[in-house]
Amino acid sequence: MSEAVASSLPEILGRLKLIATRDRLDSLLDEAVRRDLNLAEALALLCEAEMAHREERRIQMGLSIAKFPYLRTLDGFDFAAQPSLDPKQLRELAACRWVANGDTLLIQGPPGVGKTHIAVALGREAVHQGYSVLFTSAMARLTDLVKAQVEGRLEDKLLRYAKPKLLIIDEFGYLPLEPQAAHLFFAFNRRYERGSSLVTSNRSVSEWGTVLNDQVVATAILDRLLHHSHVLTIRGDSYRLREKRRSGLIKANTSSATSGAIA
């Protein structure tokens, strides 16, 4: 390679927006020489490096946009502590076919059993597989929509929630909703059979009428929300209370009483 070509190549790569190739050019060329690659093989090496860089950037951007509250993975989930969960079923959900189909996933169980962990882990899997994801808590979503309605920006806000391929709504059911707020909260018309939703709740669907303060509204919402759906029910002990029980700070039957609320 002539000195003129060598000096101009980084600029050319920059103009072509091949940033990873430009930044690693010397090391990639050294690797090609060390492996005695021919021209086609060396070009493939450069292209693979560029594609890997772009894929990593895409994933990092998707994770940033998703706004997950923390890092959680399925590998980090303690299945031994939650025997009611089938690891095979979780692996099938991690394949994200339900996201591709626009289905709903409802994860229900008492507090502290890992619902949010699973929601975040599945959301991350969706990002890795190329789907846009947005994570929000139930109360944050409601507060956001109520504020937008007061400010006359409700349509814009609903459009924002309609855009992601997967919308994750965490911790539904901890506080009851006013009937009008319930209609606003479940404005899923734009997502129906187009985008997927994942909802975690400490209440079973039979209790949603109480949470929404309107059985008719609850039935209408569930009819649409669960039309194409998967339901994951966790019947286990709270991770947060387990250590307290071991230390004797609380009685062993506290978790069982809590678990009964979801049965």
Side-chain angles (χ1 to χ4, degrees):
M1 183 185 300
S2 68
E3 290 187 9
V5 172
S7 61
S8 63
L9 192 52
E11 181 182 353
I12 294 172
L13 292 171
R15 289 184 178 183
L16 292 173
K17 301 188 184 303
L18 301 174
I19 306 304
T21 304
R22 181 198 65 188
D23 293 347
R24 296 182 55 201
L25 183 59
D26 290 341
S27 63
L28 289 170
L29 291 177
D30 287 344
E31 182 178 350
V33 171
R34 185 171 62 255
R35 292 167 55 183
D36 195 23
L37 302 181
N38 60 35
L39 181 58
E41 291 169 336
L43 183 58
L45 175 67
L46 299 179
C47 291
E48 288 168 0
E50 187 65 37
M51 288 188 341
H53 171 74
R54 294 190 179 191
E55 178 66 3
E56 181 62 26
R57 283 186 58 195
R58 181 196 66 76
I59 291 172
Q60 292 304 318
M61 182 174 294
L63 293 175
S64 176
I65 292 173
K67 299 188 182 304
F68 295 119
Y70 38 62
L71 170 61
R72 294 291 186 273
T73 65
L74 289 182
D75 289 339
F77 190 81
D78 187 1
F79 286 98
Q82 301 297 358
S84 65
L85 283 176
D86 181 1
K88 180 180 178 181
Q89 184 182 14
L90 265 295
R91 288 194 294 270
E92 290 174 351
L93 290 171
C96 294
R97 285 185 291 272
W98 60 281
V99 179
N101 294 333
D103 296 346
T104 296
L105 174 59
L106 172 62
I107 305 177
Q108 58 183 15
V113 295
K115 300 185 299 295
T116 303
H117 183 138
I118 293 174
V120 171
L122 292 177
R124 289 177 61 86
E125 290 292 335
V127 170
H128 278 265
Q129 294 183 39
Y131 299 110
S132 56
V133 178
L134 178 62
F135 181 102
T136 180
S137 71
M139 293 312 299
R141 171 179 165 84
L142 180 59
T143 301
D144 204 20
L145 292 177
V146 169
K147 180 180 178 182
Q149 186 177 45
V150 171
E151 297 175 349
R153 300 183 296 104
L154 182 58
E155 284 300 313
D156 291 340
K157 191 61 66 173
L158 288 175
L159 182 61
R160 173 176 179 263
Y161 285 113
K163 282 183 176 181
K165 181 62 178 175
L166 173 59
L167 175 64
I168 301 176
I169 301 176
D170 193 35
E171 297 185 333
F172 170 74
Y174 281 86
L175 294 174
L177 304 179
E178 295 296 326
Q180 183 58 37
H183 281 289
L184 191 62
F185 184 86
F186 284 100
F188 282 128
N189 291 348
R190 290 185 176 91
R191 298 189 58 79
Y192 182 59
E193 294 187 332
R194 285 180 249 173
S196 289
S197 299
L198 189 164
V199 181
T200 74
S201 178
N202 67 323
R203 302 294 190 98
S204 66
V205 293
S206 63
E207 298 178 282
W208 280 34
T210 301
V211 176
L212 299 173
N213 281 306
D214 191 321
Q215 191 62 51
V216 175
V217 170
T219 300
I221 289 171
L222 287 169
D223 179 65
R224 177 158 292 190
L225 190 66
L226 301 180
H227 183 202
H228 303 289
S229 66
H230 309 263
V231 179
L232 195 63
T233 301
I234 308 176
R235 296 184 178 90
D237 293 338
S238 166
Y239 287 106
R240 291 186 286 269
L241 296 182
R242 187 175 298 116
E243 292 302 320
K244 296 289 192 299
R245 286 195 300 275
R246 288 174 178 172
S247 64
L249 291 177
I250 61 175
K251 295 181 179 179
N253 64 354
T254 301
S255 172
S256 299
T258 306
S259 299
I262 200 69

